[in-house]
Amino acid sequence: MSENTATVGEARAPRVVLVGLASCFGCQINITNIERHLLAVLGQIELGYWQLTSSEPMPEAFDVAVIEGAVTTEEAAETVRALRERAACVIAIGSCAATGGIPAMAAGDLASHVEAVYGDGLPKACGVLRAPAPVSAVIDVDFTVSCCPIDPFEFVRVLDAALYGSNRLDVTATLCGQCAQGEGGCLYKRGQMCLGLVTRAGCGAKCPGLGRACNGCAGLSPDANVTAARAFAASRGFAPGRFDEALEMFNAVALAPAGEE
Amino acid sequence: MLYRVIDRADLPSLVAAFMERYEVVAPVRRGSFYAFEAIGDFSEIALDYPTTIASPKKYFLPATETLFEFDARENAVTDYVDEVRPRVLFGVHACDINGIMNLNSVFNDPRYPDPYYRAHQDATLIVGVSCTPGDTCFCHLMDSEEARPGYDLFLNAIGEAFLVSIGSVTAANILEGACDVREATDADRAAFRAATRARQEAFNGAIPDVQEIPMLMDAFHEDGFWDELGGRCLSCNACASVCPTCYCFDIRDTLDPGAETGRRERVWDACTSPQFAMVAGGHNFRSTAAERVRHRMYHKLNGFLATHDRSLCVGCGRCAAACKVGISPIEVLKFFERKGADDGE
Ligand code: SF4
Ligand code: SF4
Ligand code: SF4
Ligand code: SF4
Ligand code: SF4
């Protein structure tokens, strides 16, 4: 990780750019929800580009590129390649950037989705469409802030890790362990289907903690045991088809090429 | 051991007396489950609870605990006082008291005593209560069906009264001050023996009593059984989260927004987590779920015993309830029983 740490001990504040691709911009907006801490966080960096707050153009040089959104066009793919070339460090934020997220639900059959929305006249402004994919499918990503939307404090933590390094290890355990710590009882015992079985831990099981099933926004853990999870869900009356369909909301890309079917 | 008898009707005043000087934590009902929580009134306590989702371990080893705070600009530790609350854990079952004893022997090891744990331990009184074993309880097979030391008071239910075993002077004084305490009579002792016998008979007979577990763990180290368990493990760590005796943790630094100050925290970790045995350079000594589950069971049923002379698992059965895919020491005991039956043929 250290070779990707943006600046250490340099006199100049690290230059950060924030770019939005196919997304709802909710993660970018959520960054401002750190409210009273916002100035302290921005004080550490030189914010070179943030469409949401300024129409200044993208600078030539920067250290950290923060990318929100899925790559859905060839133009976007070019954008992220260019960012990768110039940035010492790339941070993907939000489900769309991390897993393909909601846009990637169309990845399996792009043509029919395009037709359903635009008929046979795809507007020029759409650019050259490609199957929606996470940023990591196009370039190497150094850090990821998962979830839909991101937890803004998690963003701050990851930004700090990028700027100063961190002794925190990325873990791939799934969610039920964090959920058990909350002691709310498993939602399956209340007849609800929950994707925490295969979703990467990290959010602290926010949704089950509020009585709502996890829909997998943190992404499928690379160590998820989807087969065993499906079997468990089936034993509780949720057919594997339903489980898979629910998983597609945020994990269509991870499920497809991994050959889970 | 000193015994006294109090009436069930005395319990509210006992709890009220504790509340004057301590935070009282007790089992409370949460939907169809139970959890240990700080209470405000005796009426919140569900003293006849079967078990709780997670154990009272969290009051000795919080899931996240700040060890110190630092100033990142100065690269220096700043003053920090860990919050240690004088507390009474009220209504703890025997398995959990034995679990806490196991944690004590780990964190009070004279070679590396843990001041944070010790501070919580010293500030905590434990009031045990007798229980009726549920389907997944097997404390009797793990030598943990009885709390010998490890409590300040232990309430043994005998009908509408409690035979109270007294373990500390502090608690004895509070008991004497709050309740109408009387000497135990022969009838009380007979009732206690009857209750103990009834409890012994209530254990789930389908969980096999296997002798020489450590020896069997070694003998079947390479058995395909572990691949079977590993093949269905979800790598979720729920087992360790709910377990009264899992004590593994990770230590990490968290910067405050602005990165000028921060905290060093310890957080629960678990050997079922895929990265648990990963070392510098990236090698993972237990890269498969089968190795990880096997390791967990070894530590629970064998490894701890070698150093501390008792098994780490106290048979509380919580992991059996928490694990979605039926992995628990109970399955290991059943496996050994099957192996024994096979050999006998
Ligand atoms: S509610 Fe969801 S996250 Fe929680 S234990 Fe059940 S499956 Fe796991
Ligand atoms: S519980 Fe699931 S859906 Fe909710 S924030 Fe966490 S990962 Fe996302
Ligand atoms: S391993 Fe399971 S049964 Fe044993 S003490 Fe831990 S939670 Fe209880
Ligand atoms: S079973 Fe695993 S997590 Fe629990 S104490 Fe042992 S090594 Fe630690
Ligand atoms: S043994 Fe069960 S509870 Fe433990 S990590 Fe595996 S699936 Fe989760």
Side-chain angles (χ1 to χ4, degrees):
Chain A
M1 166 194 305
S2 57
E3 70 268 25
N4 294 321
T5 302
T7 54
V8 179
E10 271 180 41
R12 182 169 43 72
R15 294 158 301 178
V16 179
V17 296
L18 225 148
V19 179
L21 306 176
S23 60
C24 72
F25 277 48
C27 288
Q28 294 185 47
I29 289 176
N30 215 18
I31 291 172
T32 65
N33 280 334
I34 58 174
E35 298 185 346
R36 65 193 173 90
H37 302 292
L38 191 58
L39 292 181
V41 170
L42 293 179
Q44 309 166 82
I45 60 174
E46 186 189 316
L47 193 58
Y49 178 80
W50 191 2
Q51 244 185 350
L52 203 67
T53 58
S54 154
S55 41
E56 285 294 305
M58 176 77 73
E60 274 308 307
F62 45 84
D63 305 297
V64 179
V66 179
I67 307 177
E68 179 204 71
V71 179
T72 55
T73 62
E74 294 303 339
E75 292 81 353
E78 261 323 299
T79 302
V80 299
R81 282 192 207 103
L83 290 170
R84 178 73 273 184
E85 263 167 38
R86 285 187 262 170
C89 173
V90 170
I91 305 177
I93 66 165
S95 299
C96 303
T99 69
I102 307 250
M105 288 175 80
D109 186 5
L110 186 62
S112 80
H113 284 92
V114 170
E115 207 201 312
V117 177
Y118 298 111
D120 42 15
L122 179 69
K124 254 209 163 64
C126 290
V128 182
L129 297 185
R130 48 177 275 159
V135 175
S136 62
V138 181
I139 57 167
D140 286 340
V141 169
D142 302 300
F143 295 93
T144 300
V145 186
S146 29
C147 291
C148 176
I150 56 164
D151 176 330
F153 288 98
E154 182 69 3
F155 170 73
V156 171
R157 189 187 69 66
V158 172
L159 181 67
D160 284 344
L163 299 180
Y164 313 109
S166 166
N167 55 8
R168 188 187 293 226
L169 194 65
D170 273 344
V171 294
T172 58
T174 54
L175 196 59
C176 301
Q178 287 194 323
C179 184
Q181 286 180 22
E183 293 183 84
C186 179
L187 292 169
Y188 280 96
K189 296 205 172 125
R190 285 193 248 156
Q192 273 176 269
M193 185 177 73
C194 175
L195 300 181
L197 305 173
V198 292
T199 301
R200 196 172 180 146
C203 72
K206 280 198 176 81
C207 299
L210 296 167
R212 300 177 58 135
C214 169
N215 55 24
C217 83
L220 195 66
S221 160
D223 285 299
N225 188 339
V226 180
T227 310
R230 276 192 195 118
F232 170 74
S235 77
R236 297 302 168 103
F238 301 100
R242 267 186 81 183
F243 190 81
D244 288 4
E245 194 189 347
L247 251 187
E248 267 179 22
M249 173 146 52
F250 287 109
N251 295 288
V253 173
L255 282 174
E260 287 295 343
E261 300 309 312
Chain B
M1 185 65 63
L2 205 57
Y3 294 97
R4 290 288 181 272
V5 174
I6 60 169
D7 287 333
R8 193 172 277 269
D10 277 334
L11 285 183
S13 48
L14 177 60
V15 169
F18 280 129
M19 274 182 179
E20 283 172 21
R21 287 162 51 194
Y22 299 89
E23 172 182 87
V24 175
V25 162
V28 302
R29 207 184 167 95
R30 278 197 196 170
S32 51
F33 306 96
Y34 297 84
F36 281 101
E37 257 178 37
I39 55 142
D41 186 79
F42 175 79
S43 62
E44 295 167 43
I45 303 177
L47 201 58
D48 57 352
Y49 73 110
T51 181
T52 49
I53 291 180
S55 79
K57 161 180 84 179
K58 60 189 176 183
Y59 296 106
F60 294 82
L61 185 69
T64 302
E65 182 168 41
T66 297
L67 302 179
F68 58 76
E69 292 174 341
F70 56 82
D71 186 317
R73 295 156 302 185
E74 305 287 327
N75 197 22
V77 173
T78 50
D79 279 345
Y80 172 70
V81 182
D82 194 18
E83 196 210 294
V84 176
R85 214 176 277 185
R87 195 175 267 144
V88 176
L89 299 186
F90 191 90
V92 184
H93 289 168
C95 56
D96 284 342
I97 293 174
N98 282 294
I100 292 165
M101 294 297 284
N102 282 352
L103 297 183
N104 289 351
S105 55
V106 172
F107 288 100
N108 295 330
D109 186 319
R111 287 170 299 169
Y112 32 80
D114 186 302
Y116 303 91
Y117 181 93
R118 187 66 203 221
H120 293 302
Q121 184 191 340
D122 287 345
T124 306
L125 297 185
I126 297 176
V127 179
V129 69
S130 55
C131 52
T132 306
D135 266 1
T136 53
C137 292
F138 58 105
C139 56
H140 63 311
L141 305 178
M142 297 288 124
D143 197 22
S144 290
E145 78 272 38
E146 206 188 314
R148 282 172 291 255
Y151 55 80
D152 294 273
L153 297 176
F154 196 98
L155 311 171
N156 299 284
I158 45 170
E160 279 311 292
F162 289 99
L163 180 72
V164 187
S165 323
I166 295 170
S168 80
V169 177
T170 311
N173 289 340
I174 295 171
L175 178 81
E176 301 270 350
C179 305
D180 189 7
V181 175
R182 59 178 172 83
E183 300 282 328
T185 62
D186 282 347
D188 295 327
R189 280 185 278 270
F192 174 61
R193 277 195 300 276
T196 306
R197 212 170 309 117
R199 177 169 178 260
Q200 276 160 357
E201 277 155 20
F203 281 103
N204 179 356
I207 304 174
D209 185 0
V210 177
Q211 303 301 308
E212 305 290 347
I213 295 169
M215 189 271 287
L216 291 167
M217 292 297 287
D218 286 333
F220 292 104
H221 190 262
E222 302 302 329
D223 199 276
F225 172 68
W226 304 111
D227 296 318
E228 231 174 86
L229 292 193
R232 59 182 201 254
C233 174
L234 301 168
S235 295
C236 72
N237 303 338
C239 44
S241 289
V242 301
C243 180
T245 65
C246 274
Y247 53 79
C248 288
F249 56 80
D250 190 13
I251 293 184
R252 65 195 193 187
D253 295 337
T254 302
L255 287 166
D256 299 323
E260 293 181 340
T261 56
R263 284 152 286 132
R264 176 157 296 179
E265 296 169 321
R266 79 160 142 209
V267 291
W268 288 356
D269 199 354
C271 61
T272 40
S273 188
Q275 287 73 31
F276 185 84
M278 195 168 91
V279 294
H283 182 69
N284 192 334
F285 283 91
R286 287 189 289 274
S287 60
T288 67
E291 291 167 303
R292 294 190 290 268
V293 168
R294 182 175 67 184
H295 175 85
R296 174 176 176 78
M297 295 306 164
Y298 263 73
H299 195 206
K300 288 296 164 197
L301 299 173
N302 187 353
F304 190 82
L305 195 104
T307 336
H308 297 278
D309 209 27
R310 45 169 297 124
S311 91
L312 182 56
C313 175
V314 293
C316 75
R318 285 189 182 90
C319 60
C323 181
K324 309 279 185 298
V325 294
I327 299 173
S328 78
I330 296 173
E331 292 312 303
V332 179
L333 298 180
K334 288 183 175 167
F335 161 68
F336 288 148
E337 190 191 41
R338 285 199 300 278
K339 281 288 175 184
D342 292 351
D343 289 353
E345 276 164 15

